Amino acid sequence: QVQVVESGGGLVQPGGSLRLSCAASGRIFSINAMGWYRQVPGKQRELVATIINDGRTIYADSVKGRFTISRDNAKNTTYLQMNSLKPEDTAVYYCRAEYGLGHLNWGQGTQVTVAS
């Protein structure tokens, strides 16, 4: 019954910004962590940023200082503010919610394209 849905992707110019949202819904009693991952064709999915239930955050070196992950626990929602976007940020961005006793769900992904 748990669903994870991303939104906010699109086409943006280099140096521009996007804000991604990810909402988890269903029978969720506690979120342990929510994170953003991205994947391009021919490569493995990689971590972008995660936020843990105690507020700690982890960022990939490639996005540190440009991206900010945040959360709204009341809505079981996480956000990824993406600034100073580069062409190499182009990917499908996936949200992952970790909840309850070791459960996790992935969203369907949202396309982010950074191009002139």
Side-chain angles (χ1 to χ4, degrees), residues 9-78:
L11 174 65
V12 66
Q13 298 287 328
S17 297
L18 285 174
R19 183 174 182 256
L20 306 183
S21 299
C22 171
S25 62
R27 296 176 61 183
I28 301 172
F29 296 96
S30 62
I31 293 286
N32 301 325
M34 299 189 77
W36 290 95
Y37 297 73
R38 66 188 181 188
Q39 189 169 23
V40 299
K43 299 197 69 176
Q44 292 185 328
R45 193 170 298 182
E46 66 177 5
L47 170 71
V48 177
T50 62
I51 185 163
I52 304 167
N53 59 359
D54 63 2
R56 288 178 293 158
T57 57
I58 301 171
Y59 294 94
D61 287 342
S62 59
V63 307
K64 202 167 189 176
R66 300 188 296 120
F67 293 8
T68 303
I69 189 169
S70 60
R71 64 181 180 181
D72 183 340
N73 288 346
K75 298 179 179 180
N76 286 332
T77 299
T78 186

